[in-house]
Amino acid sequence: MLVSIRWLKEYVDIPADLPAEALAERLTLAGLEVGKIRYIGVPQQNVPGITVPPSDHLVWDRQKLLLGKIVEVKAHPDADRLVIAVVDYGGEALEECVTGAPNLFAYTGAGPLAPPLWTPFAMEGAEVWDGHSEKPARMILKGRKLRGVYNRAMVCSEKELGLSDDHEGIMLLDERTVAGYAPGTPLQDVLGDVLLDIDLTPNLARAWSIIGVAREVAALLGLPMHYPPTDVRMDGPAIAGRVDIDIRRPELNPRFTLALIEGITIAPSPLWMQLRLKLAGMRPINNIVDVTNYVMLETGQPLHAFDWDILCRRAAQSGAAHPTIITRLPDAGEELTLLDDSHHVLDAHNLLVADTAGSLSLAGVMGGLESEVQPDSRNILLEAANWNFINVRRTMQSRKLSSEAGLRFSRGVHPGQAEFGLRRAAELMRVLSGGIVARGIVDSYPLRPETVRVDLPVAEVRRITGMDLTPAEIAAILRGLQFEVDVTGDLLHVTVPDHRLDIGTGVIGQADLIEEITRIYGYDRIPTTVMDDLLPPQRDNPALRSEEWARDLLVAAGLNEIVCYRLTTPEREALLAPPGESVDLPENAYVTLANPISQDKTVMRRTLLAGLLDTAVANLRQTDRVRFFEIGSVYLPTPGDLLPQEPRRLGILLAGPREMAWWDLPARDGRFDFFDLKGVVETLLAGLHIEKAVYEPARHVSLFPGRTAALTIRKRPAGVLGELHPKVAAAFDLPDGLPILIAELDLEVILGAARAAHRVSPVPTQPAVYQDLALIVPEETPAASVDAVIREAGGDLLEDVRLFDVYRGAPVPTGHKSLAYALTFRAPDQTLTDKPVNKLRERIIKAVGQKLGATLRD
Amino acid sequence: MLDRLEELYRQAADDLARITSSEALREWELGTIGRKGEITLMLRQTGQLPPEERAAFGKRANEIKNLLTQAHLEREELIREQELARSMEEGQVDVTLPGRVTPVGRLHPATRTLREIYDIWAEMGFQVYRSRDVETDEMNFELLNIPPHHPARDMWDTFYTTTPGVILRTHTSPGQVHAMREYGAGGTKPIRVILPGMCYRYEQITARSEVQFNQVEGLAIGPRIRMTDLKGTLTEFARRMFGADRQVRFRASHFPFTEPSAEVDVTCILCQGQGCGVCKHSGWLEIGGCGMVHPAVLRNGGYDPAVWSGFAFGIGPERITMLKHGIEDIRYFWSNDLRFLNQF
Ligand SMILES: [Zn+2]
């Protein structure tokens, strides 16, 4: 919301020496965040301690941009399209300005003007905006001849001053704008202004008007509020009996008021009003529509003007004696065309303003096309109503409509404001349009809110804020915000004013008031303390601790952590199955967004694999070697449950050369393969002190058959690891022929088996005996089986079994492989001799021979 | 014999003086005073001499052997010194050549900042409480004092799911009610927790906004928690996070689940409050929102708001990371470009 400080000053006497920047800071700290300050002609001020963005706006030179009074308009001797304005600018002599402004032509040759025309006047050397330039450009006014007449000054348009884009004619200032100023007054003093662009949080709906902001300013500065008068001169025949109001759903329409203004003439509104509308970002239309907008900006109460004659005609057509305004929900399938030409088939909750002939407006949001004010309207029925804010908001959302009125109503306007707005607007319309206001108003107020009263003990303020404010201090702050306060000892009886909907009752009302007290008192004045409250029982978070532990282990293993989008598409994840194969997904497999913002993010992921592969693709464009992991949730809806399961997973991906080259050591050949990936998993499990991990050959739709293992920990499935299926690699646009090693593991299972307090064995005191053993086994025999048989046969004295070579080829027979093991034997309490070791060795050889058909390789 | 001995001695002493390498020295040693060296052999022949000559010869031969052994030791020391000096001369490396780096992995910057945040709050007795990403409208909004269709909902651009009443959480605040109900023992026990997690907003992805982002909320509930505590605690956090010389400012604001509510600013890290592009020339950087827990929320968590009070706050780890490291594009976080990740 753009707030003119000049306008604000009509309601609160802001000290002249309070810079706009300081006022903006006060408002910001009190919760009315000033996002931007816009300067109209006046310079920015430097306020110590306040930093504001530097502004390079046009500053009106106090010597050269002045208030001018055109005393006569003369014809130009040599040009039809130019005239000479004779201007009193407070100087010793009158100044003649050549101008092509069409709005002066009517005065040409009329002799001395009575009354004179007032206009902004610029002297040679003044900086102004170039009125003729398409793009914004500034220029310094230079004296020059215009068709033979020397010209060293100029009368200005709005565009030249930077007030608007209007360059149709020069600015002619109305009486109200120049009242009290003499010719030659610096223009800064007459028209200069500062606009505060305030971002209002939803709770500050009451401040969505100039008066609303003025109340805040008054409270913050400790100054009184001056409300505008609400007297209306009502000279016409009474409105009573000429129009009725029929509210069918009071809970949606607590109040509806009407006034009738007859005999008006539609015309442009005066410059002061137009200028205020323009500076607030609204377009002036005419003296009726402008008043409805002006009063909405001023008071926060939206208004609507109907053409009274159209309503009377509709009433007659529908056989009624006089118009009746009916507010109701629509009939099934009812339609309405709005002011913006949009056509709507209405939803059941879209409240309507209607009459006996049908619908007129979408209540609180936008007027209908048929009954709007016309250029030849003579009589106006003025509406100031109140609507349920929740319903207005729903209607705006379902109809995809927005309007200044709708935005205000949807945040909440107090029904008490309707009559204030109605009276203010009726009087302005009377004055500006020459109409006569019918006597009285029609006020249907079926749902008058109860006046809110809150009892606030001073102790409660202390309990929540920690500050010792006196009853007098608290009362003064609340009264500054227009609350009525009666103080009885340490108890304040507070009555909420009828422009606020945000104060509740009981303990909530107390909290609402405490917020107001601290906000106005100033957060910067609140002292700081250290909590002396009870320290709650301190709890461990093993899930988080072990997860961070896993991260550290993986990082130590050389992997980079990544974090992917958790939103994806089913199509992306479907690429994880090679063409022709499909993943069997249950129905409603995905948490699906009802309102996705982009086509590539429509569901919550079910797997980490797609994100890992996408990350690999992107990075392999820059580098040939990637190693990373992600820890995060996947989202698995389960039938019968409202919310999905969100198990944590660990994803790992490796690709590229296994070794890095150095300047004197070339990298040995070899790219990451299955065993590098398995090594990472083993490193992790070892680091977490997880034993009894079993790797078994497995099949996974995304992985290379025969290079895929399923991990089982303590008999619980813990995920898969393997080489990516080449067809899946191709589907993800990964480089051809590059092995991609990828794993998706169940972190809940892994971390569930992690042991923070594992047992530590004593350091051996006895020497070990080392022996090598090479065995020939059939190709299909898994190494894990050989390992297991050796360990079993070796018994307690066999301390360690390490595979150090796998060999195929002569002299090993085809279809077989040779596995070479380094065996470590040790007895805990004595030095082992060769004899028992050799016996064990024989036992091992016998066991592998019997169980696996293994033979000793010589 | 004696003359021969003296001759050998002179010869050996001369040879020794000319030796410059440890190999030659070993050879000399073998040839003279070694087990089969000439001096040793002569000494062994002492017994073959006539008895009257034996004593004198033996004495002299021993003398010579000792002298040569001593001289050998000295020479050996000298040569070792020389050789060390030579190897130092020849074995110099170009220390400006690059080292062989151990390729280590790195934590994601969001994780790093989250850990930093956990650590600071842990010292103040706040423990980590995590809750789910896919939430009910009731937990995310209604129990936090945000009724359906209330205009306050405009503060969050929400992702709805095709299951009515189920949304992606827009903030970690639902964890407030979860934690109160789980740890509060029916509103009888104090609580200090922080609630980290991924949140989601219906927003276009730009350099400044993301559809998903981490948030850390904090919640303290007790029988004596005041707004002065909130200010003191958050000031302490801001100074630990951003530096002890930071100024901290509290600005009134609005969140439906706190009252009074505030935004917390610290003096800009880059311009020290003088105004720059990062702080939008305000001199201040907004680091989070906070407030006293709204009585309705306390009630929904099982506490009697007339007796219990509390504060809550929310901060954005990615934003904090961006401010600390001068990162201008939030999209870096989830794009996982190693050229970005490797800078941490
Ligand atoms: Zn800055």
Side-chain angles (χ1 to χ4, degrees):
Chain A
M1 177 182 51
L2 284 166
V3 175
S4 152
I5 292 185
R6 184 177 282 272
W7 194 353
L8 267 186
K9 286 181 175 171
E10 286 191 10
Y11 316 109
V12 55
D13 300 319
I14 299 170
D17 61 355
L18 180 71
E21 294 78 5
L23 178 62
E25 175 96 344
R26 286 299 298 273
L27 286 168
T28 295
L29 289 175
L32 287 83
E33 189 175 357
V34 177
K36 216 181 149 196
I37 304 177
R38 200 182 140 204
Y39 300 88
I40 305 294
V42 298
Q44 188 169 43
Q45 292 187 60
N46 236 325
V47 185
I50 298 176
T51 310
V52 289
S55 173
D56 65 345
H57 64 282
L58 176 70
V59 177
W60 299 336
D61 189 318
R62 291 188 70 86
Q63 264 72 50
K64 298 193 171 78
L65 270 166
L66 308 170
L67 179 62
K69 185 169 78 173
I70 303 176
V71 295
E72 188 178 356
V73 180
K74 300 195 293 192
H76 191 285
D78 293 324
D80 289 347
R81 302 200 134 173
L82 296 175
V83 294
I84 296 167
V86 183
V87 183
D88 173 1
Y89 67 98
E92 287 179 6
L94 298 176
E95 185 71 22
E96 297 202 339
C97 307
V98 179
T99 171
N103 56 344
L104 286 185
F105 291 176
Y107 303 97
T108 314
L113 298 174
L117 298 169
W118 294 84
T119 187
F121 171 88
M123 247 328 205
E124 197 173 17
E127 189 181 15
V128 292
W129 290 100
D130 186 346
H132 299 284
S133 172
E134 286 281 312
K135 282 185 225 156
R138 294 194 204 174
M139 58 174 221
I140 307 282
L141 193 60
K142 291 194 185 78
R144 62 180 173 132
K145 270 190 180 174
L146 268 176
R147 292 290 184 100
V149 179
Y150 186 73
N151 201 32
R152 57 161 196 161
M154 181 171 86
V155 284
C156 306
S157 69
E158 289 183 11
K159 185 176 178 184
E160 282 158 337
L161 294 174
L163 288 166
S164 76
D165 286 335
D166 192 354
H167 192 56
E168 278 300 288
I170 62 162
M171 248 184 121
L172 294 177
L173 306 177
D174 64 317
E175 259 177 66
R176 182 178 154 153
T177 303
V178 300
Y181 297 114
T185 306
L187 202 59
Q188 272 192 25
D189 298 348
V190 186
L191 292 176
D193 203 349
V194 180
L195 307 180
L196 306 179
D197 193 349
I198 301 180
D199 303 324
L200 287 177
T201 47
N203 62 320
L204 283 167
R206 64 175 187 282
W208 203 340
S209 64
I210 303 295
I211 286 178
V213 174
R215 282 192 204 107
E216 296 289 320
V217 172
L220 287 167
L221 302 181
L223 297 168
M225 266 296 286
H226 311 301
Y227 284 100
T230 52
D231 304 332
V232 189
R233 186 167 152 188
M234 293 175 165
D235 292 339
I239 187 172
R242 298 169 70 188
V243 59
D244 290 327
I245 299 172
D246 176 6
I247 295 175
R248 307 257 171 95
R249 302 294 294 261
E251 76 282 9
L252 301 179
N253 177 200
R255 190 177 192 185
F256 201 106
T257 67
L258 289 168
L260 183 61
I261 305 107
E262 294 173 285
I264 59 114
T265 306
I266 299 280
S269 51
L271 180 118
W272 64 266
M273 183 176 278
Q274 290 199 21
L275 200 56
R276 284 185 173 175
L277 292 174
K278 283 180 188 175
L279 293 181
M282 297 190 89
R283 196 164 53 91
I285 312 278
N286 59 46
N287 50 359
I288 299 300
V289 176
D290 288 358
V291 167
T292 62
N293 286 330
Y294 180 86
V295 173
M296 175 180 69
L297 293 176
E298 183 188 48
T299 67
Q301 170 67 47
L303 298 128
H304 185 71
F306 292 102
D307 185 312
W308 170 245
D309 298 314
I310 295 174
L311 295 184
C312 291
R313 200 155 55 235
R314 285 166 60 99
Q317 280 164 4
S318 60
H322 59 253
T324 300
I325 299 291
I326 305 163
T327 67
R328 59 173 173 82
L329 289 169
D331 301 330
E334 190 166 356
E335 300 180 19
L336 176 64
T337 303
L338 298 177
L339 272 178
D340 65 354
D341 257 338
S342 61
H343 187 77
H344 299 266
V345 181
L346 300 163
D347 301 319
H349 63 271
N350 298 157
L351 195 70
L352 292 171
V353 178
D355 62 5
T356 46
S359 59
L360 295 167
S361 315
L362 195 53
V365 181
M366 199 175 284
L369 194 59
E370 195 187 332
S371 54
E372 73 169 313
V373 175
Q374 310 290 325
D376 59 353
S377 292
R378 298 289 299 163
N379 305 302
I380 298 295
L381 184 68
L382 179 64
E383 161 200 327
N386 187 266
W387 312 104
N388 176 290
F389 66 104
I390 298 278
N391 198 50
V392 171
R393 185 173 177 276
R394 279 183 76 192
T395 296
M396 288 170 72
Q397 285 185 334
S398 72
R399 299 279 97 237
K400 296 188 167 47
L401 284 169
S402 185
S403 67
E404 290 283 334
L407 288 172
R408 283 171 172 79
F409 278 130
S410 69
R411 295 285 182 96
V413 177
H414 195 288
Q417 297 297 293
E419 187 179 347
F420 176 42
L422 186 81
R423 289 181 168 278
R424 181 81 180 125
E427 177 66 5
L428 279 169
M429 283 184 185
R430 183 190 70 78
V431 172
L432 300 183
S433 70
I436 295 168
V437 182
R439 198 150 30 79
I441 62 169
V442 184
D443 183 357
S444 178
Y445 202 169
L447 199 68
R448 188 185 292 268
E450 267 184 57
T451 302
V452 178
R453 292 189 175 82
V454 182
D455 282 350
L456 180 65
V458 172
E460 184 64 10
V461 178
R462 188 184 313 121
R463 182 174 80 93
I464 299 298
T465 68
M467 293 189 293
D468 280 314
L469 300 179
T470 64
E473 280 177 295
I474 297 168
I477 288 173
L478 290 175
R479 285 181 188 130
L481 284 165
Q482 321 281 309
F483 290 89
E484 280 176 37
V485 185
D486 285 328
V487 183
T488 320
D490 280 345
L491 186 64
L492 293 93
H493 307 280
V494 181
T495 306
V496 178
D498 75 351
H499 59 263
R500 295 188 71 135
L501 288 167
D502 61 326
I503 307 293
T505 54
V507 66
I508 290 178
Q510 291 174 344
D512 294 336
L513 291 178
I514 289 168
E515 173 166 64
E516 291 303 283
I517 295 159
T518 45
R519 200 170 62 79
I520 300 299
Y521 179 78
Y523 283 12
D524 48 338
R525 293 168 65 195
I526 300 175
T528 59
T529 53
V530 178
M531 279 190 279
D532 63 357
D533 210 46
L534 292 174
L535 190 66
Q538 297 286 289
R539 295 177 184 85
D540 189 15
N541 188 333
L544 177 77
R545 192 162 38 73
S546 59
E547 182 181 311
E548 298 300 341
W549 186 14
R551 282 197 173 90
D552 285 337
L553 288 165
L554 290 161
V555 163
L559 276 64
N560 266 318
E561 188 190 12
I562 62 168
V563 179
C564 296
Y565 285 108
R566 297 179 182 183
L567 285 160
T568 182
T569 62
E571 293 74 24
R572 196 80 197 147
E573 293 198 346
L575 293 180
L576 290 167
E581 298 197 41
S582 66
V583 190
D584 266 341
L585 285 181
E587 202 155 315
N588 303 321
Y590 285 99
V591 174
T592 305
L593 296 187
N595 59 334
I597 197 160
S598 64
Q599 291 189 342
D600 62 341
K601 295 184 178 64
T602 59
V603 298
M604 295 297 277
R605 66 183 177 193
R606 291 182 59 92
T607 168
L608 303 184
L609 294 178
L612 289 167
L613 293 175
D614 286 336
T615 306
V617 172
N619 280 292
L620 285 169
R621 292 191 196 111
Q622 333 289 344
T623 179
D624 61 350
R625 189 167 190 267
V626 290
R627 290 191 293 173
F628 44 70
F629 72 96
E630 175 171 22
I631 284 178
S633 292
V634 297
Y635 304 86
L636 310 175
T638 42
D641 289 340
L642 186 64
L643 297 172
Q645 293 182 341
E646 302 185 1
R648 288 173 301 161
R649 296 268 176 91
L650 163 63
I652 302 173
L653 186 145
L654 311 176
R658 181 179 298 121
E659 289 191 4
M660 294 171 72
W662 305 104
W663 46 271
D664 62 342
L665 285 180
R668 276 180 296 177
D669 282 347
R671 292 183 297 195
F672 287 126
D673 64 18
F674 176 82
F675 300 103
D676 294 293
L677 177 62
K678 187 176 175 190
V680 171
V681 176
E682 286 171 336
T683 304
L684 172 68
L685 299 186
L688 296 169
H689 304 289
I690 296 174
E691 291 158 11
K692 307 228 170 76
V694 179
Y695 302 83
E696 286 166 311
R699 294 189 73 87
H700 184 279
V701 69
S702 306
L703 301 178
F704 201 116
R707 296 184 192 168
T708 301
L711 174 65
T712 309
I713 295 172
R714 291 199 197 153
K715 304 211 166 77
R716 292 181 68 190
V720 289
L721 55 155
E723 184 175 326
L724 191 67
H725 196 297
K727 285 183 178 173
V728 177
F732 276 86
D733 289 327
L734 281 152
D736 212 17
L738 175 69
I740 307 287
L741 291 312
I742 192 161
E744 183 166 38
L745 305 177
D746 187 329
L747 203 60
E748 313 287 352
V749 171
I750 293 177
L751 298 182
R755 291 190 303 158
H758 64 284
R759 289 203 68 81
V760 172
S761 310
V763 175
T765 51
Q766 300 297 331
V769 177
Y770 304 97
Q771 289 219 350
D772 287 354
L773 184 65
L775 298 170
I776 294 171
V777 293
E779 183 64 65
E780 61 274 14
T781 307
S785 311
V786 182
D787 189 282
V789 173
I790 294 174
R791 283 178 196 274
E792 200 199 341
D796 289 345
L797 296 182
L798 177 59
E799 184 183 83
D800 189 35
V801 180
R802 188 173 61 83
L803 178 73
F804 68 88
D805 187 42
V806 178
Y807 176 77
R808 294 178 180 85
V812 176
T814 12
H816 289 70
K817 60 191 173 189
S818 155
L819 304 174
Y821 292 91
L823 309 178
T824 305
F825 296 93
R826 197 195 305 269
D829 49 357
Q830 56 175 311
T831 302
L832 272 185
T833 58
D834 283 349
K835 217 172 152 192
V837 170
N838 287 337
K839 242 171 109 181
L840 280 175
R841 181 188 166 89
E842 289 312 314
R843 215 162 90 189
I844 290 168
I845 292 167
K846 202 173 149 199
V848 293
Q850 281 174 351
K851 293 187 176 161
L852 303 169
T855 53
L856 197 61
R857 183 181 166 200
D858 302 314
Chain B
M1 252 319 249
L2 199 57
D3 293 345
R4 171 84 184 119
L5 182 66
E6 293 295 340
E7 176 58 30
L8 273 176
Y9 171 50
R10 266 194 308 279
Q11 188 62 46
D14 286 356
D15 288 351
L16 185 63
R18 279 194 297 274
I19 286 173
T20 56
S21 77
S22 44
E23 292 84 47
L25 187 67
R26 210 163 303 122
E27 247 171 63
W28 177 90
E29 187 191 2
L30 291 174
T32 53
I33 54 173
R35 276 199 316 150
K36 291 178 178 169
E38 285 183 284
I39 304 289
T40 314
L41 291 178
M42 286 210 97
L43 195 57
R44 282 199 198 131
Q45 288 167 12
T46 309
Q48 297 167 9
L49 286 175
E52 64 277 17
E53 290 177 26
R54 275 184 208 164
F57 181 84
K59 187 176 173 238
R60 179 63 184 153
N62 267 319
E63 233 173 59
I64 285 172
K65 190 171 180 187
N66 286 339
L67 284 168
L68 286 175
T69 301
Q70 186 58 36
H72 172 256
L73 279 175
E74 284 164 14
R75 193 72 201 169
E76 191 179 34
E77 181 65 26
L78 184 74
I79 286 171
R80 201 183 295 136
E81 286 292 325
Q82 283 171 344
E83 282 184 342
L84 186 62
R86 212 175 306 132
S87 84
M88 283 179 166
E89 187 73 26
E90 291 163 358
Q92 290 185 6
V93 298
D94 178 358
V95 298
T96 66
L97 281 168
R100 292 180 204 102
V101 176
T102 307
V104 295
R106 289 174 170 81
L107 289 171
H108 191 278
T111 302
R112 290 166 47 97
T113 306
L114 281 169
R115 286 188 178 184
E116 210 175 328
I117 293 169
Y118 299 161
D119 289 348
I120 295 172
W121 287 107
E123 285 179 34
M124 296 193 255
F126 287 73
Q127 289 157 328
V128 176
Y129 181 93
R130 299 197 290 189
S131 61
R132 51 175 38 260
D133 288 17
V134 182
E135 261 297 359
T136 59
D137 187 277
E138 185 191 23
M139 291 304 289
N140 193 80
F141 290 124
E142 289 165 45
L143 293 175
L144 294 169
N145 199 30
I146 312 161
H149 302 293
H150 193 274
R153 293 207 174 199
D154 294 340
M155 295 169 75
W156 299 272
D157 294 309
T158 309
F159 279 122
Y160 298 91
T161 74
T162 49
T163 307
V166 175
I167 60 158
L168 306 191
R169 66 174 167 194
T170 57
H171 44 200
T172 50
S173 316
Q176 289 190 20
V177 180
H178 284 301
M180 279 190 255
R181 289 180 175 180
E182 190 172 328
Y183 288 170
T188 60
K189 290 273 187 306
I191 292 181
R192 283 186 206 177
V193 289
I194 55 172
L195 319 159
M198 197 67 91
C199 304
Y200 305 84
R201 298 263 171 99
Y202 179 85
E203 278 188 34
Q204 295 292 343
I205 299 176
T206 68
R208 300 186 168 276
S209 66
E210 261 291 2
V211 292
Q212 75 178 35
F213 56 92
N214 277 294
Q215 194 182 50
V216 179
E217 285 215 355
L219 176 70
I221 304 224
R224 275 198 314 275
I225 290 181
R226 308 150 298 180
M227 203 168 166
T228 52
D229 296 328
L230 166 64
K231 236 186 126 172
T233 310
L234 274 183
T235 301
E236 179 69 16
F237 167 76
R239 295 202 167 137
R240 289 211 203 175
M241 195 79 206
F242 295 99
D245 54 344
R246 290 299 106 189
Q247 287 197 55
V248 184
R249 174 175 94 163
F250 288 74
R251 228 170 350 102
S253 189
H254 172 69
F255 308 103
F257 35 92
T258 52
E259 190 171 41
S261 301
E263 307 249 28
V264 187
D265 299 340
V266 296
T267 39
C268 179
I269 302 167
L270 280 102
C271 66
Q272 312 304 327
Q274 300 308 298
C276 71
V278 171
C279 60
K280 293 186 195 141
H281 299 278
S282 70
W284 296 97
L285 295 171
E286 186 184 316
I287 59 161
C290 64
M292 299 302 288
V293 180
H294 194 282
V297 178
L298 281 171
R299 210 174 263 157
N300 291 334
Y303 290 89
D304 177 359
V307 178
W308 295 80
S309 56
F311 65 71
F313 56 86
I315 47 182
E318 281 88 65
R319 181 169 157 76
I320 287 175
T321 314
M322 291 172 81
L323 294 175
K324 276 195 146 179
H325 297 282
I327 300 164
E328 290 181 354
D329 195 331
I330 197 169
R331 288 171 296 195
Y332 284 158
F333 283 89
W334 320 136
S335 63
N336 296 308
D337 191 319
L338 290 171
R339 293 169 297 179
F340 172 68
L341 298 180
N342 282 336
Q343 293 183 51
F344 290 90

